[in-house]
Amino acid sequence: MHICKLRLSAAWTLRRAELSQRRLLSSARKQSPLLNIAPRVREALSNGEPVVALESTIISHGMPYPQNVETAREVEQIVAASGSIPATIALIDGRIHVGLSDGDLLRLGNGRETVVKASRRDMAAVLSQRLLGATTVSGTMLAAHMAGISVFATGGIGGVHRGAEDTMDVSADLTELGRTPVAVVCAGAKSILDLPKTLEYLETQGVPVVAFGDSNEFPAFFSQHSGLQAPWKLQRAEQVAQLLKTNAELGLQNGVVVAVPIPEEHAKASVDIEQAIEAALRESERLGVKGKEATPFLLKRVVERTGGASLLANIALVKNNARVASQIAASLASMGGSQGFSTTASYSPETRTDQPLLVIGCAAIDITSRVDPNQSAESAIPEVDLLRQTKLAATSHPGTVFTSVGGVAQNIARAAHLLGANAVLVASLGQDAHGTAVAADLNRMGMDTRFLQYPGSGARTAIYNALHGPNGDLVAAVADMHINGLLSPQQIEEAFSSLRPRAVCVDANVSMPAIVTTLMQARESGACVVFEPTSVPKCTNVLSALLVIKHSHAVADVSGLVHMITPNSLELQRMSEAALELGLVEGVPTAATVSEIAKFHYSLDASVIRNLLTLFPLFPTVVVKLGEQGAAVISPSPRNATRPIIRHIQPLKPSLVENSSGAGDSLVGAILAQLHTRSELVSPDGSLSLAPQELDTIVSRAQRAAIMAIESMHTVSDRLNPDALNKD
């Protein structure tokens, strides 16, 4: 029945997937097809030069023409003169333009076209209708983060409006600051807002607010003084850059407010401006001006009532903020964290020059519970009967509970990294405490976390909750893994494009389109592909992917697209059955053939031998994890690649058993680390170029990593190091 369902599922997905797969296989390798990054900005981002994002609403809605366009030009010049590349952002002709031409600035500012004020809420609508859109603080933050820019200069942020307790009018800028890792350099919140409530809201969102300069007073846009204290004060751009870098090392996904007071010479008119603001507020209430129209209306009225003094002050503070932002960006770039401080600041590409090992799949939080082995005989529950005991669900059992960072791909990448490989993880995390913990731990280890993806609100970081019996064997587990299916093919394409890996491992937790993308990107770049089947229900995902590739005519012969698989015996059985049913392999070996081979490997079960031979035409190298029985291996003969050779790798014995959950992942990570550190073992087309004896040695040595995991409560032993596999 399961095979029939698999056939129906695969057939059903072919028509749906065909067009999407053609797009995936041929799409340009960039972060989003909607991004249009100006050549100079793209070059700067590629070279690690400092870039400062600038908003466009200040052009279209914040100032009158021609001062708006003139100010925009001057601000870009100030950013450039202070050491960074300016990147003004707007929505033009259905694309997010990062870096504008002078003609674009004129379109936004001359008043001849209708310009939509676009925050996060409005961007999809503006882009889909190909309208001309000017990005607000929230819209600019989102676009800057998409492009890989981590510092943004503006006039002032939005906030909680006066009377919000009745109107619920709170700017989207504040929620964006709580979820998008971009530093916003501003003159505080606009003084037309309720500043105490604004600071309270930022605290709730977990946003650091930094007063920049000699005073820790939070500035009030036109005024240096608000009577409110910022939580933090920093006096130099280098200090702010270090804060941003540390924010990244913690794996946090929030923005940072850098509040810069208006220059002293332009703050003298603040009393007159505040009086004009109060009058304009009363007028807006009388006319019923609300929502996103409120701020432009108020600013216009204030300019009129002050005779232009507020406009001059506005221009001065914007220019000052741009100068400070450029200095911060330059300092951050010098620390190796100029782009996307949420994930890259702690990783310096200069520390690793070898081609990386790419690991794609699941990152999770592992919760490992073990029943106390020292219970009395009467209270201890034998593992074989544990799930049949109704008392198990009705009572608790003494034991230990251990929480750690886990997930199949993460475990594999961690093991390989500890063993000296340049392992890079591609995985999805939730914007929650668990996701923050995973990212922070990887950053702590010095791993490259640029390609961790955060699908958005509502997506939970994966959790694997395992129960082990008194002897350490797994009894049962609950896996909340929905987020793994949200890993986008585009994220994988970007990783291949940026890293050009020599080897890649993908686990079966990700979606079929993600596996298809991995296989095709690896084929194009000549990378060796290792597939980790993960579980019996998921192990056939790679077969569905191969079937889609075959039927979409992307590759006529799919044999050899995956160079190695690493199943256990149950996964091997399931994959063998499914490959036959789907027509990906032809026939099974004869009983006589199996019996003949079994004579030389009497300790291997005949079903393992039969399944290895069945899958050999599709997967040229298979390493079967047999637990206490060691491993079974099949690979091509050096003299005849069509002739398989089967071997049995004898097991190593642990001195104690603490936890068996991460042993298989540690084994795979150790195999990959050895392949990665010996580049001669991978041919230019990605296929493995090693004799059977070499492969056997690699697997035998990798067993040591598995043993160390079994002897530890961690899924991957923290005692792993580049010399660990060399010990007797």
Side-chain angles (χ1 to χ4, degrees), residues 595-625:
S595 298
E596 185 64 25
I597 295 176
K599 291 179 182 178
F600 298 96
H601 302 290
Y602 60 89
S603 56
L604 286 180
D605 190 271
S607 64
V608 171
I609 296 173
R610 181 177 62 253
N611 293 327
L612 283 171
L613 293 173
T614 300
L615 289 174
F616 176 74
L618 191 61
F619 305 116
T621 300
V622 181
V623 177
V624 186
K625 295 167 287 191

Side-chain angles (χ1 to χ4, degrees), residues 60-371:
S60 62
H61 293 78
M63 298 179 185
Y65 181 80
Q67 289 95 331
N68 54 357
V69 175
E70 293 170 355
T71 300
R73 291 167 177 160
E74 291 169 1
V75 166
E76 290 194 343
Q77 292 169 2
I78 289 170
V79 169
S82 301
S84 300
I85 305 301
T88 305
I89 295 173
L91 312 181
I92 302 174
D93 300 327
R95 304 285 296 281
I96 302 172
H97 285 245
V98 181
L100 304 183
S101 67
D102 195 66
D104 294 330
L105 298 179
L106 285 170
R107 283 188 67 186
L108 290 164
N110 61 20
R112 296 176 184 175
E113 296 182 60
T114 300
V115 183
V116 180
K117 187 178 179 183
S119 68
R120 171 188 279 262
R121 176 196 67 180
D122 310 297
M123 291 181 72
V126 172
L127 292 168
S128 63
Q129 297 180 56
R130 302 181 67 83
L131 302 177
L132 183 60
T135 52
T136 64
V137 170
S138 68
T140 305
M141 287 183 70
L142 177 61
H145 183 51
M146 291 172 63
I149 303 171
S150 58
V151 180
F152 161 36
T154 185
I157 60 171
V160 179
H161 282 256
R162 301 185 189 187
E165 60 271 18
D166 297 320
T167 64
M168 297 298 294
D169 193 352
V170 179
S171 172
D173 298 352
L174 302 187
T175 51
E176 199 66 44
L177 279 159
R179 62 185 172 188
T180 302
V182 172
V184 180
V185 182
C186 60
K190 299 178 178 71
S191 52
I192 58 179
L193 303 168
D194 188 328
L195 297 185
K197 288 187 177 67
T198 297
L199 286 175
E200 287 291 337
Y201 199 99
L202 287 170
E203 180 183 3
T204 301
Q205 292 290 310
V207 178
V209 177
V210 177
F212 185 83
D214 296 328
S215 171
N216 64 351
E217 189 171 10
F218 184 71
F221 200 65
F222 290 118
S223 173
Q224 294 183 339
H225 307 290
S226 67
L228 302 169
Q229 301 298 304
W232 300 101
K233 180 188 78 172
L234 296 175
Q235 296 176 298
R236 302 192 311 277
E238 305 83 52
Q239 293 174 311
V240 178
Q242 185 61 55
L243 183 149
L244 302 183
K245 184 174 184 291
T246 304
N247 201 73
E249 291 169 345
L250 289 171
L252 301 179
Q253 292 301 301
N254 55 271
V256 175
V257 173
V258 182
V260 183
I262 185 173
E264 181 67 36
E265 61 270 26
H266 295 280
K268 298 176 181 179
S270 61
V271 175
D272 293 336
I273 294 173
E274 286 298 326
Q275 292 175 350
I277 289 172
E278 293 296 333
L281 280 168
R282 291 192 294 271
E283 183 181 3
S284 69
E285 292 173 1
R286 179 171 54 83
L287 296 176
V289 180
K290 298 179 180 179
K292 66 180 182 180
E293 303 302 328
T295 299
F297 172 86
L298 291 170
L299 291 175
K300 180 180 179 182
R301 286 291 189 266
V302 171
V303 170
E304 294 170 352
R305 290 178 179 274
T306 60
S310 67
L311 176 60
L312 293 177
N314 197 354
I315 292 172
L317 66 85
V318 169
K319 290 180 178 178
N320 189 49
N321 295 343
R323 184 177 298 106
V324 173
S326 183
Q327 294 167 356
I328 293 170
S331 295
L332 186 59
S334 69
M335 298 176 184
S338 62
Q339 304 169 29
F341 72 79
S342 67
T343 56
T344 63
S346 65
Y347 175 75
S348 173
E350 295 178 0
T351 64
R352 303 302 298 254
T353 57
D354 52 334
Q355 286 182 288
L357 162 66
L358 202 60
V359 186
I360 301 168
C362 174
I365 291 292
D366 281 349
I367 303 174
T368 305
S369 304
R370 180 180 177 183
V371 176

